[in-house]
Amino acid sequence: MALKQIKLKIISTKKTSTVTRAMEAVSAVKMRKAQERALTSRSYAWTALRILRGLAGSTNLVNHPLTREHAGGKVAIVVITSDKGLAGSLNSAVLKKVENFMREEGLKQSDVVFLCLGKRGYEFAINRGYEVVHHKLNISETIDEQEFHDITDQVIALYQSGIAREVRIAYTDFISTFEQEAAIHKILPLSEKILEHIVASIRPAKGKFAIPEVSGNDIPAYTIEPDAEDVINALLPRLVNIAVFHKLLESKASEHSARMVAMKSATDKAKEIATLLTRKYNKARQAAITREVSEITSGIEAMR
């Protein structure tokens, strides 16, 4: 390889390193904000679900539209992915989880409908010919629970209309900065078992955001006005919204963490390649200088 080509590769590699280092810094800032938001929301979500468990003994939840089992209908899958790439295997892990779930359950293309939050999941569903009843791209980092209602209202309407017999949600569970895990959970129809699973997944095992274990005897007795049924009718849709919204926050924190780690790896690799190319350039230049000196020496000797 010529010296000029090696030098151009070194310059190109260093430019790439500059870009990836900048992206790493941006992702680090976004990651800290997303992590804090996801972790602080866990207490709110956990407490809201605990309230429902306390009210469950006050009324019959079996006949509520969101807890009633459906005999027929499709399986609705809410897929939460990122809009951008460069985040390692984050999105592919979620999509693989969806494919494995469909394979294990024996679901055909006509048996499922998708609700896609994020570009990667939407492209996955469209390219494979799946029915997409709702999709939303470029969801703001600052979206709050109230603004999120337009998404979960469609999820609830899909279930209450009987089009879907159950609703699953596929997302990336944030464990730590360097560890994220793809998961798929059932959210509708609601049941005590599902609520316990959601509570368990929301509550961190340790750290300042950890919530102490509460036994069934510690659940407070509520004075319910006007009556338990009205409270349940108002509370259940909100709990579904909280459950889906919290999964979005977890996915956002996981996305920025994965991208920061991926960009750091890319920066380190670019620096390594630049070092190797510089060494190669110096060797080639030294060889050229040695060759020129040899030629000059040979010319002088020939003239004598």
Side-chain angles (χ1 to χ4, degrees):
M1 188 181 294
L3 285 174
K4 185 176 181 181
Q5 290 178 312
I6 298 175
K7 193 170 184 179
L8 288 174
K9 280 186 173 292
I10 293 172
I11 294 172
S12 175
T13 303
K14 287 183 176 179
K15 286 182 178 178
T16 301
S17 174
T18 301
V19 172
T20 55
R21 187 165 58 248
M23 293 180 67
E24 177 190 345
V26 171
S27 295
V29 174
K30 290 184 176 180
M31 176 198 70
R32 284 190 289 271
K33 291 180 179 179
Q35 284 181 1
E36 187 76 13
R37 197 173 181 207
L39 291 170
T40 52
S41 71
R42 287 177 170 180
S43 298
Y44 172 70
W46 183 86
T47 304
L49 291 169
R50 182 167 167 253
I51 290 172
L52 179 63
R53 294 177 65 185
L55 292 174
S58 304
T59 186
N60 186 9
L61 294 178
V62 178
N63 294 323
H64 193 277
L66 296 181
T67 62
R68 193 181 302 126
E69 298 279 350
H70 293 174
K74 300 182 179 182
V75 175
I77 304 177
V78 181
V79 182
I80 303 178
T81 55
S82 68
D83 293 296
K84 302 175 184 177
L86 301 177
S89 61
L90 184 85
N91 293 317
S92 59
V94 173
L95 300 177
K96 186 176 181 181
K97 199 79 174 178
V98 172
E99 289 181 322
N100 289 340
F101 165 73
M102 292 177 61
R103 191 181 304 112
E104 291 169 2
E105 296 294 322
L107 299 173
K108 301 188 295 292
Q109 183 175 325
S110 58
D111 296 331
V112 296
V113 293
F114 280 83
L115 297 93
C116 302
L117 307 182
K119 184 178 180 181
R120 300 301 176 181
Y122 179 63
E123 290 176 344
F124 165 83
I126 290 296
N127 292 338
R128 286 161 178 75
Y130 292 115
E131 180 184 358
V132 179
V133 295
H134 175 75
H135 74 278
K136 190 174 181 65
L137 310 180
N138 299 316
I139 299 175
S140 172
E141 301 285 340
T142 59
I143 187 172
D144 59 27
E145 190 234 336
Q146 290 298 325
E147 295 173 325
F148 199 70
H149 267 296
D150 66 323
I151 297 172
T152 48
D153 285 347
Q154 296 190 47
V155 174
I156 292 171
L158 199 65
Y159 183 75
Q160 289 182 331
S161 64
I163 296 175
R165 68 173 181 267
E166 68 177 58
V167 179
R168 301 265 177 168
I169 183 165
Y171 72 108
T172 308
D173 191 21
F174 174 76
I175 300 174
S176 69
T177 302
F178 299 98
E179 187 179 3
Q180 302 86 36
E181 182 180 354
I184 183 166
H185 294 159
K186 185 177 181 180
I187 58 172
L188 287 175
L190 287 172
S191 66
E192 182 71 17
K193 185 177 180 180
I194 291 174
L195 290 174
E196 289 177 354
H197 185 271
I198 293 174
V199 169
S201 66
I202 285 174
R203 185 177 61 249
K206 56 184 178 180
K208 73 173 184 176
F209 296 103
I211 302 170
E213 293 287 347
V214 179
S215 65
N217 296 330
D218 295 330
I219 296 176
Y222 295 100
T223 300
I224 303 171
E225 294 180 356
D227 56 49
E229 185 176 350
D230 289 340
V231 173
I232 290 295
N233 289 336
L235 186 60
L236 283 182
R238 167 154 286 195
L239 288 175
V240 174
N241 189 65
I242 291 170
V244 181
F245 181 62
H246 184 264
K247 300 295 188 282
L248 175 71
L249 296 182
E250 293 277 337
S251 295
K252 287 285 187 183
S254 298
E255 175 191 347
H256 296 310
S257 298
R259 184 170 291 114
M260 187 200 71
V261 172
M263 290 302 99
K264 186 179 187 308
S265 298
T267 302
D268 293 342
K269 190 65 178 177
K271 289 180 179 178
E272 180 184 339
I273 293 173
T275 301
L276 293 174
L277 287 172
T278 301
R279 190 176 301 158
K280 186 175 182 180
Y281 175 81
N282 292 336
K283 287 182 178 179
R285 186 179 61 177
Q286 185 62 46
I289 293 171
T290 303
R291 186 170 59 252
E292 290 174 2
V293 171
S294 177
E295 290 173 355
I296 292 171
T297 304
S298 299
I300 293 173
E301 290 294 328
M303 291 173 64
R304 287 180 181 178

